[in-house]
Amino acid sequence: MTADAPLADGAVSSLGDRFGAPAAAPATSAITLYARGASAGFDRKVADALALLRDAGRRFSPITQASSLGVEDMVVTDLLQKSGIDASIFVLDTRKLHAETVALIGRLEAHYGRTVDVYTPDLAVAAAFVAENGEDAMYRSLGLRKACCDFRKMVPLERALAGKQAWITGLRREQSNARAEVHDIELQRIDGHDGASATRAKVNPLAGWTWGDVWHYVDLHGVPYSPLHDRFFPSIGCEPCTRAVTLGEDFRSGRWWWEQESAKECGLHVSQDAGADGDGAALEAPGFESLPGAVSSLADRPASHAAPVRPITVSTVPESSE
């Protein structure tokens, strides 16, 4: 089996019985289940999201959307299209994505008439990792799981963001405790190994949206989305690390379900540094430092949503063919 081949049926790392993951529920419509739950301020949230995107488009160039192809990011893409700003869209194809996720790239391009940039990991690095640690390495320790996330997500992300002044995400404060402090605009200080530093903005137009808001928007505007959402996958990552959730579980309980709650991030949006023993105890994300005057020009943005600065060290990654 190669590093990027689908997991064989019955393999121990195939989501199933090893950790008691619940089986996917019979197919149904996520729109039917969730679209009627929009908040009272839904129309204002849509207007504010469009204003935020247009404001970011004026202030930052080049700017790009990081899309996981989950429903929030599909809504952001639709808003991006409506905003009219000049922004690219990229996807990190880890080579471990569900077939439904990969297929959605083509559906997105056809629906919106635009090209999606796809960034992949170094296949030689992936093959070496699997040869040394096995296909189910992510289940054996937190350190191995994070190493897998690093070369499949973090390194390609650095290439995708190289030269960009800002990136747009589908983060929502409701998604998890680790994301409860997400701001509309965050300014990240990027410290390179060469001693140079730069500032990159992170724009989160759905920060204050609810799950019901997201699905109400999908229903109103015919936004394409993954059929996995109809099978109770609210948060979709790599196939070996994602399962369906059951009634009453939170949004991200199906991600890395065998780990402690504090460890459930890959590092794209929240620090995932862990102790050297890799026993599942993750360090808390670094605190944000307020940067006065850096907020969006939306006059009525709450003061508590002021843009922060987070120190991030970025290594230089050589370009490779996609």
Side-chain angles (χ1 to χ4, degrees), residues 1-14 96 126-127 130-131 134-136:
M1 181 180 296
T2 66
D4 297 291
L7 294 173
D9 290 341
V12 294
S13 55
S14 63
K96 290 292 184 182
V130 171
E135 288 281 4
D136 65 346

Side-chain angles (χ1 to χ4, degrees), residues 73-284:
D73 287 323
M74 296 303 295
V75 166
V76 170
T77 295
D78 195 84
L79 289 166
L80 197 64
Q81 195 82 354
K82 289 177 170 57
S83 73
I85 70 170
D86 183 13
S88 60
I89 302 171
F90 74 87
V91 167
L92 303 179
D93 180 2
T94 66
R95 298 302 177 95
K96 290 292 184 182
L97 300 178
H98 297 80
E100 293 89 341
T101 301
V102 176
L104 189 53
I105 297 174
R107 290 173 55 202
L108 185 160
E109 291 181 323
H111 186 83
Y112 294 107
R114 62 186 303 162
T115 300
V116 174
D117 299 323
V118 178
Y119 290 82
T120 61
D122 185 318
L123 299 186
V125 171
F129 178 85
V130 171
E132 180 177 354
N133 302 294
E135 288 281 4
D136 65 346
M138 69 285 293
Y139 301 128
R140 300 207 319 269
S141 79
L142 183 63
L144 286 173
R145 195 273 288 170
K146 289 182 175 181
C148 188
C149 287
D150 185 66
F151 72 78
R152 292 189 186 277
K153 294 182 180 180
M154 298 305 296
V155 173
L157 177 69
E158 291 173 9
R159 290 171 27 230
L161 294 182
K164 302 297 192 296
Q165 288 192 8
W167 57 312
I168 304 163
T169 84
L171 292 181
R172 296 185 300 112
R173 288 188 280 273
E174 185 188 56
Q175 286 169 333
S176 70
N177 290 336
R179 299 179 177 190
E181 299 301 320
V182 168
H183 296 66
D184 294 345
I185 294 183
E186 300 170 354
L187 296 183
Q188 302 170 309
R189 187 172 63 248
I190 314 299
D191 296 324
H193 293 304
D194 58 359
S197 63
T199 299
R200 180 185 296 130
K202 187 175 182 179
V203 183
N204 308 306
L206 306 187
W209 285 39
T210 67
W211 187 236
D213 292 334
V214 170
W215 284 103
H216 187 60
Y217 186 94
V218 169
D219 189 27
L220 284 177
H221 298 279
V223 177
Y225 66 89
S226 171
L228 291 172
H229 288 303
D230 291 334
R231 303 203 291 270
F232 296 100
F233 284 74
S235 178
I236 304 170
C238 292
E239 185 171 16
C241 298
T242 309
R243 64 160 172 82
V245 303
T246 57
L247 187 64
E249 290 187 294
D250 65 40
F251 297 109
R252 290 178 63 80
S253 60
R255 303 290 296 279
W256 308 294
W257 63 90
W258 61 94
E259 294 181 354
Q260 296 178 10
E261 190 63 32
S262 61
K264 290 186 177 184
E265 289 288 349
C266 62
L268 292 179
H269 301 296
V270 176
S271 174
Q272 52 132 12
D273 295 332
D277 58 2
D279 62 358
L283 299 177
E284 290 187 8

